[in-house]
Amino acid sequence: MSPDEILGLSCTQLAAAIRERRTTALASMEAVLERAREVQPKLNCFLRIDEDRALEAARQADRQPARGPLHGEPMAHKDMYYREGVASSCGSKILRERPAPATATALERLDAAGAIQFGVLNMTEFALGPTGHNWHYGHCRNPWNPERITGGSSSGTGASVAARANFAGLGSDTGGSIRLPAAMCGTSAIKPTYARVSRAGAMPLSHSLDTVGPLTRTVEDAALIAQLISGPDPRDPTCDPRPVPNWVNEIEKPVKGLRVGRPRQHFYDECDPQIAAAMGASLESFGRLGAKIVEVDLPELTAYSAAAVFISTAEAATLHREWLRTRADDYSDQVRGRLMQGLAIPATAYIDALRLRGTALAEFCAQVFSKVDLLHAPVLGIATPTIAETELGWSERTAAVLARITRLTRPGSYLGLPTVCANAGYSRDGMPIGLQLVARPFDEATALRAGHAFQRATDWHLRQPGL
Amino acid sequence: MNPTLAKTLIEEHGVQPSPTHVEATANILASLFKTTADPFARLPLEAEPAAFVLEQRRQAP
């Protein structure tokens, strides 16, 4: 296979090609490294590429029997998944030289499946921001238009996967950090149910909300990778103990009869008409697949988002308090300002935000999932902003700009709901438009099945940016 | 929240905020308090943080 043919494959397809000896791990690694070198000056999506080590690992993989379903697959991840003894910058100046204390469980599981990590990816400083700006290492740029933001905080994962400089990579999501870059860069993704994937060895931002998940080229790949990294982990006491269903085997089940909900409130308030039109077209696709489209009323989501901000900001400020005291100048202005805000949140507001969560989830499920199997909605209701117009220090105005970006993702973080993302079309100026399929807790299977069926019926996910 | 209180609360942690950050903190938190006042006030005495995990499990398919 030629390098271009290799780079055009999904993870699932590449794994089969390596297994069937139509290509090799080494050829795949050489192709992706060449592509990474080519796009890096334009996109700044990598923070480090471990070329020599990755090539040697690929040579070894070709000499060994298959280790698992990702045998020989090149992957790079957001630079906040620790490898023991290696520095993970977490997009920050503060951690750029600190050796990581232990390897992340998610990385150990991908290693065991045969994946080969070849680098680490740009991200928002300490994963605190939805745009993809990074004032220490340079902003990551969108492959569809380098003047636009990638979305964040998993900026490099979204950009590298979209640019075909990475087959798939881990992101993390506290308020939208997987879903937003997936939508803005036009990739697929899954934010699993909160507590489905171990957070051990992943940089913490907000213990109550942080979720680990992959950004991928297809929903099928998202199912495969999420399957591999999910499940109980004694190293993460919050990780749910239930076994993980076989999402890959179930993904081909038809969606005929599935009830897909179109929200009457919140998600289409202030929505860009081009985005609303793409959502309408994608709902028609689901209709043609035999799904039943049902309009649903939602509870008031604004208070959920506000409660989520109390939780994430208070928890993040607690983790960063000592550095805010001793190394305040080593933070960018926006991140420093957001973190300091958390120091002024009263304990009662933080605890009430946590107390409301169970009630809110019960209310949402009763109102939505009693009527539909999935909620279908845009990820972002506004046109993808430019890097320049979102280049902001911390102020009340910045908070308003960022809140508009996370408006459709933060409620799902608060409720901890599993969400699959897929590209649903393009704006007139060529920017991807992302849809999200939100399921009840621990029902990733239904969202993955629906997302996969949608991609079988459309070709939006196959288009590549003309870099 | 008034800016003086916001500044005092941040400084209590030994952290020195800029005037812009104090102003932003005061206004943003005031807005969040307003948005959450009603749902927080309606929480029953028995509502507790761990109820979220139980509810997740109860709602699982």
Side-chain angles (χ1 to χ4, degrees):
Chain A
M1 295 178 84
S2 72
D4 280 348
E5 286 171 326
I6 292 170
L7 293 176
L9 299 175
S10 69
C11 272
T12 307
Q13 291 167 333
L14 179 61
I18 292 173
R19 199 166 50 241
E20 293 159 10
R21 301 192 181 281
R22 286 181 279 123
T23 188
T24 62
L26 182 61
S28 309
M29 187 62 77
E30 286 172 341
V32 86
L33 288 170
E34 176 62 30
R35 179 68 174 160
R37 278 193 298 270
E38 183 188 340
V39 305
Q40 176 64 5
K42 299 170 191 163
L43 304 181
N44 194 32
C45 46
F46 290 90
L47 290 185
R48 195 183 71 240
I49 297 175
D50 300 317
E51 185 158 339
D52 292 344
R53 201 172 55 78
L55 287 168
E56 181 50 34
R59 284 187 199 98
Q60 280 188 25
D62 284 331
R63 291 194 292 264
Q64 294 167 343
R67 293 179 64 188
L70 294 177
H71 187 79
E73 293 257 0
M75 291 176 81
H77 308 293
K78 187 176 186 177
D79 192 18
M80 54 165 275
Y81 290 95
Y82 302 161
R83 257 189 209 284
E84 187 176 355
V86 179
S88 286
S89 74
C90 303
S92 75
K93 185 175 176 184
I94 290 173
L95 287 181
R96 75 168 129 205
E97 288 175 0
R98 185 194 76 150
T103 301
T105 295
L107 291 189
E108 287 178 342
R109 290 179 178 178
L110 292 173
D111 292 347
I116 302 171
Q117 185 176 352
F118 70 93
V120 294
L121 299 165
N122 204 348
M123 59 181 282
T124 309
E125 181 182 5
F126 288 118
L128 191 60
T131 59
H133 288 75
N134 187 304
W135 285 275
H136 301 299
Y137 300 100
H139 308 323
C140 194
R141 295 179 174 275
N142 195 308
W144 297 92
N145 179 344
E147 301 303 314
R148 304 288 184 102
I149 64 169
T150 53
S153 61
S154 310
S155 51
T157 317
S160 64
V161 171
R164 303 303 192 257
N166 189 6
F167 288 94
L170 294 176
S172 70
D173 196 313
T174 305
S177 289
I178 287 173
R179 293 160 287 169
L180 289 165
M184 294 188 213
C185 295
T187 75
S188 308
I190 181 170
K191 181 193 86 68
T193 306
Y194 172 76
R196 179 67 103 170
V197 181
S198 169
R199 296 174 295 110
M203 180 211 76
L205 174 63
S206 169
H207 300 103
S208 301
L209 300 169
D210 292 344
T211 309
V212 173
L215 288 89
T216 55
R217 298 186 187 178
T218 65
V219 171
E220 186 180 28
D221 285 355
L224 173 63
I225 293 167
Q227 175 97 53
L228 291 166
I229 61 174
S230 294
D233 178 17
R235 293 174 61 202
D236 179 353
T238 65
C239 202
D240 191 81
R242 79 191 59 221
V244 182
N246 194 324
W247 296 326
V248 175
N249 282 359
E250 290 180 18
I251 205 166
E252 297 290 347
K253 284 186 183 171
V255 295
K256 189 174 179 184
L258 201 71
R259 298 168 303 166
V260 175
R262 182 191 186 279
R264 285 200 181 97
Q265 294 86 17
H266 193 82
F267 286 91
Y268 290 97
D269 307 343
E270 309 167 22
C271 187
D272 181 294
Q274 292 181 61
I275 295 172
M279 291 301 111
S282 68
L283 282 168
E284 286 173 15
S285 295
F286 278 108
R288 284 192 293 274
L289 290 166
K292 187 179 174 194
I293 312 303
V294 181
E295 295 233 330
V296 282
D297 290 312
L298 305 183
E300 171 56 48
L301 300 183
T302 312
Y304 296 179
S305 291
V309 173
F310 275 139
I311 295 171
S312 61
T313 314
E315 291 184 352
T318 306
L319 300 179
H320 286 268
R321 184 181 52 221
E322 189 55 22
W323 288 328
L324 285 171
R325 207 173 60 76
T326 59
R327 301 187 64 175
D329 290 343
D330 288 339
Y331 290 96
S332 63
D333 185 76
Q334 189 184 106
V335 171
R336 183 171 57 241
R338 289 187 77 182
L339 289 169
M340 281 187 184
Q341 175 184 297
L343 297 176
I345 293 174
T348 48
Y350 169 68
I351 294 169
D352 271 348
L354 290 172
R355 290 173 73 226
L356 178 64
R357 220 175 162 199
T359 310
L361 180 58
E363 179 187 34
F364 190 89
C365 290
Q367 207 161 322
V368 175
F369 295 123
S370 62
K371 298 183 177 68
V372 298
D373 302 300
L374 286 174
L375 192 70
H376 171 292
V379 175
L380 180 71
I382 56 174
T384 302
T386 65
I387 290 173
E389 68 192 343
T390 46
E391 172 96 42
L392 300 165
W394 186 243
S395 68
E396 197 178 352
R397 178 174 163 256
T398 306
V401 169
L402 302 189
R404 281 194 84 197
I405 294 173
T406 57
R407 188 169 179 277
L408 308 185
T409 54
R410 208 176 274 287
S413 297
Y414 186 63
L415 299 169
L417 298 171
T419 303
V420 164
C421 297
N423 190 350
Y426 292 84
S427 62
R428 279 192 291 277
D429 57 2
M431 297 306 294
I433 295 172
L435 70 80
Q436 54 180 331
L437 299 164
V438 184
R440 61 169 57 241
F442 299 105
D443 192 16
E444 286 88 352
T446 301
L448 288 164
R449 181 159 60 99
H452 178 63
F454 177 72
Q455 290 190 332
R456 280 288 181 91
T458 59
D459 68 354
W460 303 116
H461 62 294
L462 299 177
R463 301 189 186 187
Q464 297 183 29
L467 280 165
Chain B
M1 179 178 277
N2 75 57
T4 308
L5 177 58
K7 184 169 185 284
T8 303
L9 287 169
I10 294 170
E11 286 178 346
E12 278 296 313
H13 293 276
V15 173
Q16 297 303 315
S18 70
T20 312
H21 290 171
V22 168
E23 174 101 12
T25 298
N27 292 335
I28 293 163
L29 293 187
S31 168
L32 294 173
F33 290 140
K34 193 175 169 188
T35 307
T36 52
D38 185 50
F40 285 178
R42 283 191 282 111
L43 279 169
L45 179 69
E46 294 78 11
E48 62 161 289
F52 174 69
V53 176
L54 285 180
E55 193 58 38
Q56 269 194 312
R57 291 174 184 169
R58 200 174 73 81
Q59 296 290 347

